[in-house]
Amino acid sequence: MRKEIADNDTSMSDPTSNPAATPAQYADLAKLEYAFNEIDAATTVYQHLLSRETYAKRSRLVRSIPNFWPLVFEQSPLDVDCFIQPSDSAVFASCLKSLHVERFEIPGNVTPPSRIDAEGKRACFGPEVEPRSVRIAFEFGENEWFEDTLLEKKFYYRYSRDAWEGRVSEPVRIRWKKGKDLSEGLTDAACALWEAEKKAGLLNFKGNNAPTSDAAQRKAQIKKDAEERQRKRETLPEYKSLVQRIENSSEGGLSFFAWFAFRGEHSFVSAEESAVAKKEEAEQRAKDSDDDEEEEDDDEGDEDKTSDAADDEDIVLKTEVFPQGDDLALALTEDIWPNALQYFIQAQDEEFDDEQLSSVEDEDMEDDEEEEEDVMDIGDELRGKQPNKKRKA
């Protein structure tokens, strides 16, 4: 019966028999998607407020447990473990004292909303609240690799004026001891380029250059600014030096510590530009248009923006030391940090199993030795010899 229905229902196999969604329906779907994203953000805020005291208590408790965090990283899942080289493991095992993750753009006095409307408006949140921004801090004891006892990296959730959003970061300098740089000079080179760009004014937001009223003009100006900035970057000796170091970096895998050099696809998006982009997005969302042709034109414009964003990504990736840096940050934030107790217990269970296995193997070896001694004693008796007293005892 089911087969007959499938054979006779051409709409199941022919997608063209169903009309596509109208531009108005696509607009409604976009509003719902935005609402779901805002619900996720509100949930993150609420969870953060509920759990921060518990996390603080856990941090105080695990400080008295030897090797807590090294054992946690020893049990880390593949999406973290794949970035940890044997030399990195040696650092963690030797001197890692603590890990701390903080959503630093959630003020302590913020109140999560009780509900979010269909367009995703967070009435209780101001523009200063961004729960997807995180600070990840590693505390180390004195060690043979670097002088620092605290290495922290901030990830800022930003919005660009070319319709991109995501996390960006600044490279963090590590004070490596002589001959101990696990990143092979990449962290120093990334920091040198960042400082050179800042000195040359390439990190400044040119808000007045891109008009807010005309979307096409704004898009053209943004692309022009990006191309001009890239031309200036390529003239910097620090740019050429970093590109060369990345090309010559070890094929065996980057050190975990090279992650501190991560910047992100749109690392030039400043807090100022992000604020302007969010404002423009809100204004655009508030507009209500029933003109189908305008909706189609907007869709074509979005495709162009995606293409431009892809071009910008290729430009940045030439000097991106750790392309999967955001993925690693997400895994540390949403897996290692909240599930640390589970990974520690898992490590203890494995250690107990290893001890049990070792004990069983020792007992088997003792049994084999006793059986061998018994056979030797029987042989001595058959040959009329006295058994070895040491063995007999």
Side-chain angles (χ1 to χ4, degrees), residues 10 43 106 348 368:
T10 58
T43 302
I106 300 180
Q348 300 302 305
D368 291 342

Side-chain angles (χ1 to χ4, degrees), residues 118-292:
E119 294 187 4
K121 294 178 181 177
R122 291 180 290 174
C124 296
F125 290 172
E128 75 282 358
V129 178
E130 182 44 75
R132 288 159 290 199
S133 295
V134 295
R135 180 181 73 91
I136 303 175
F138 292 82
E139 183 183 354
F140 296 92
E142 292 185 6
N143 61 82
E144 62 179 276
W145 292 276
F146 43 79
E147 302 287 347
D148 308 271
T149 56
L150 178 67
L151 292 176
E152 70 173 37
K153 189 163 180 64
K154 285 186 174 182
F155 288 78
Y156 305 87
Y157 198 87
R158 295 285 185 256
Y159 300 79
S160 74
R161 302 184 74 197
D162 60 355
W164 175 89
E165 62 180 274
R167 272 175 286 266
V168 298
S169 186
E170 299 177 9
V172 175
R173 188 176 294 280
I174 300 176
R175 296 181 297 164
W176 297 102
K177 294 183 178 179
K178 187 175 181 180
K180 296 293 185 177
D181 186 349
L182 300 181
S183 77
E184 300 179 344
L186 289 172
T187 53
D188 284 347
C191 289
L193 175 58
W194 179 267
E195 291 163 2
E197 290 171 348
K198 187 184 295 185
K199 185 176 180 181
L202 299 180
L203 303 179
N204 297 334
F205 169 54
K206 300 179 180 179
N208 296 327
N209 286 1
T212 60
S213 57
D214 190 308
Q217 290 182 16
R218 180 171 68 244
K219 173 187 165 186
Q221 187 63 54
I222 290 171
K223 183 175 182 180
K224 181 180 178 181
D225 289 346
E227 291 173 348
E228 179 186 356
R229 181 177 59 224
Q230 180 59 21
R231 283 194 296 270
K232 292 180 178 179
R233 290 182 79 221
E234 291 177 353
T235 64
L236 298 173
E238 292 85 355
Y239 176 91
K240 299 173 183 177
S241 175
L242 179 56
V243 170
Q244 189 65 41
R245 279 191 176 275
I246 292 174
E247 291 176 352
N248 297 335
S249 59
S250 174
E251 295 182 359
L254 285 173
S255 165
F256 178 93
F257 291 91
W259 171 73
F260 286 93
F262 171 78
R263 292 177 57 167
E265 297 174 10
H266 287 62
S267 59
F268 296 100
V269 178
S270 64
E272 293 80 9
E273 179 180 352
S274 184
V276 171
K278 288 180 72 174
K279 181 181 178 182
E280 290 173 350
E281 181 187 22
E283 291 173 351
Q284 185 65 35
R285 198 180 303 110
K287 291 180 180 178
D288 228 352
S289 174
D290 295 328
D291 191 327
D292 291 349

